[in-house]
C-alpha cells in the first residue's frame, strides 16, 4: 500500500531547506535546484508543491512567521494567567528579538524575506494585517494615549534592535536594556 504524504509537511520540509539556503548563502542563491538539493529531493518534487519561486518564498515566509508566533506564545504562556501589562508587553517584545541562536537563524531569514518583500510586495499579503494586529494589541497594553503611536514606535524599536543584534552592533544585554528603558518611559 502506498504511503500517504502530508502535503503541508512536505511543503514545510522544502521551506526549511529554502531557509537554510537563504541563511547560508542569501536569498539570491535560492533556486528550485538549490532548494531541492538542500532538501534531498528532486527538483520535480519542489515544482510539484511550488509552481513558482515566489510561491515557495511566500510559504517559507509564513513558516518563519509561524515560528516567531510560537516563540511569543510560549513566552507569554510561561507568565501564567493575568500578568501585569508591562511584564506581558516586555515578554512579548523580548520574544520577538533574536536573542538566542535559533531566533537569530530565523531572524536572518526573516530580515532577508522582509527585504525581498520590499521588492515583491504582492508575495507577502499577510504581513500588513499581522503588523496592524500586533500594533493594536500592544496599544491595548499601554497606559496612556496616543497608545497606537507609542505601540508603533515600540514595534519599530524592536525591529531596529533585531537588526542591530543580527548585525552584531548590539549584544542581547544592550538590546534588552534599550527595550527596558523605553518601557520605563512609557509606564512611568
Amino acid at each position: 500500500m502506498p504511503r500517504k504524504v502530508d502535503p503541508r509537511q512536505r511543503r514545510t520540509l522544502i521551506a526549511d531547506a529554502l531557509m537554510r539556503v537563504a541563511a547560508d548563502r542569501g536569498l539570491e542563491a535560492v533556486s528550485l535546484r538549490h532548494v531541492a538539493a538542500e532538501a534531498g529531493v528532486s527538483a520535480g518534487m519542489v515544482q510539484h508543491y511550488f509552481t513558482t519561486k515566489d510561491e515557495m518564498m511566500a510559504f517559507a515566509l509564513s513558516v518563519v512567521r509561524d515560528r516567531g508566533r510560537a516563540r511569543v506564545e510560549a513566552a507569554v504562556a510561561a507568565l501564567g494567567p493575568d500578568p501585569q501589562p508591562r511584564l506581558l508587553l516586555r515578554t512579548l517584545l523580548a520574544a520577538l528579538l533574536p536573542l538566542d541562536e535559533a531566533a537569530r537563524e530565523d531572524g536572518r531569514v526573516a530580515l532577508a524575506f522582509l527585504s525581498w518583500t520590499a521588492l515583491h510586495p504582492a508575495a507577502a499579503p499577510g504581513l500588513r494585517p499581522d503588523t496592524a494586529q500586533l500594533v493594536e494589541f500592544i496599544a491595548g497594553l499601554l497606559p496612556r494615549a496616543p497608545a497606537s503611536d507609542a505601540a508603533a514606535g515600540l514595534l519599530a524599536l524592536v525591529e531596529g534592535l533585531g537588526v542591530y543584534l543580527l548585525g552584531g552592533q548590539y549584544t542581547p544585554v544592550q538590546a534588552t536594556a534599550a527595550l527596558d528603558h523605553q518601557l520605563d518611559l512609557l509606564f512611568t
Side-chain angles (χ1 to χ4, degrees):
M1 181 165 178
R3 190 176 75 152
K4 282 200 169 198
V5 174
D6 178 359
R8 171 87 181 169
Q9 184 179 29
R10 192 58 60 91
R11 288 169 64 92
T12 301
L13 170 88
I14 294 167
D16 287 341
L18 182 152
M19 289 184 277
R20 287 191 302 276
V21 170
D24 291 344
R25 296 178 251 163
L27 281 179
E28 310 79 44
V30 170
S31 68
L32 293 175
R33 185 174 50 92
H34 287 124
V35 171
E38 182 68 29
V41 300
S42 70
M45 179 180 286
V46 173
Q47 289 176 317
H48 173 76
Y49 289 101
F50 301 102
T51 55
T52 66
K53 180 178 176 178
D54 284 352
E55 184 184 339
M56 185 172 56
M57 299 285 270
F59 182 78
L61 178 59
S62 76
V63 170
V64 170
R65 281 191 352 238
D66 290 348
R67 286 181 183 166
R69 185 175 292 127
R71 205 171 18 257
V72 168
E73 289 171 357
V76 168
L79 295 175
D82 300 322
Q84 294 295 314
R86 186 190 188 286
L87 177 61
L88 175 58
L89 186 54
R90 200 261 188 211
T91 300
L92 181 150
L93 294 173
L96 293 173
L97 290 172
L99 297 173
D100 61 30
E101 191 51 43
R104 274 191 290 281
E105 186 174 311
D106 281 351
R108 283 189 293 274
V109 174
L111 182 59
F113 278 124
L114 288 174
S115 297
W116 183 77
T117 60
L119 299 173
H120 304 88
L127 291 179
R128 206 169 293 116
D130 282 357
T131 301
Q133 184 180 23
L134 185 56
V135 168
E136 183 179 325
F137 181 78
I138 292 169
L141 297 172
L142 294 173
R144 58 184 172 270
S148 61
D149 292 341
L154 268 175
L155 191 54
L157 170 73
V158 169
E159 293 291 336
L161 291 172
V163 170
Y164 283 1
L165 281 162
L166 292 172
Q169 293 94 333
Y170 279 17
T171 66
V173 170
Q174 290 171 310
T176 54
L179 173 59
D180 287 335
H181 176 74
Q182 190 62 37
L183 289 172
D184 288 344
L185 291 173
L186 291 168
F187 279 86
T188 56

